[in-house]
Amino acid sequence: MANPSENLIELCRASVEAQRVATSEPYTEEGWRPWLEAAETFQAAVTAEAAQEPKQSRLGLEQAAKKAVLHPEPDGE
């Protein structure tokens, strides 16, 4: 299973938050721009991180980062 860096997880978190803000109001180009930019930054980081390790699946890395953000593991308390 892919193991995304903390930086990648933070970029994913920023993209998800920007999406939440953008979709909470009626569409405007200006309102959605931060989300689109955050998503673009996240995607570029996924590509760069996947390229660092030849056997790393780009898709697997992206899915692992999104899972960590959208469906975090319980702390086990």
Side-chain angles (χ1 to χ4, degrees):
M1 179 177 210
N3 189 17
S5 68
E6 282 301 314
N7 180 56
L8 197 59
I9 291 171
E10 287 303 315
L11 290 171
C12 183
R13 205 171 269 131
S15 179
V16 168
E17 177 60 17
Q19 177 185 18
R20 186 194 64 74
V21 171
T23 57
S24 70
E25 299 178 3
Y27 171 80
T28 64
E29 188 174 326
E30 303 83 39
W32 279 38
R33 185 171 292 123
W35 172 26
L36 298 175
E37 290 173 355
E40 185 176 283
T41 300
F42 170 64
Q43 291 297 324
V46 170
T47 300
E49 194 166 308
Q52 290 177 357
E53 190 163 331
K55 294 184 181 185
Q56 179 92 309
S57 162
R58 190 206 172 287
L59 176 60
L61 187 60
E62 179 180 351
Q63 288 175 336
K66 287 182 177 181
K67 180 180 179 188
V69 172
L70 299 173
H71 308 286
E73 294 292 321
D75 290 339
E77 295 179 352

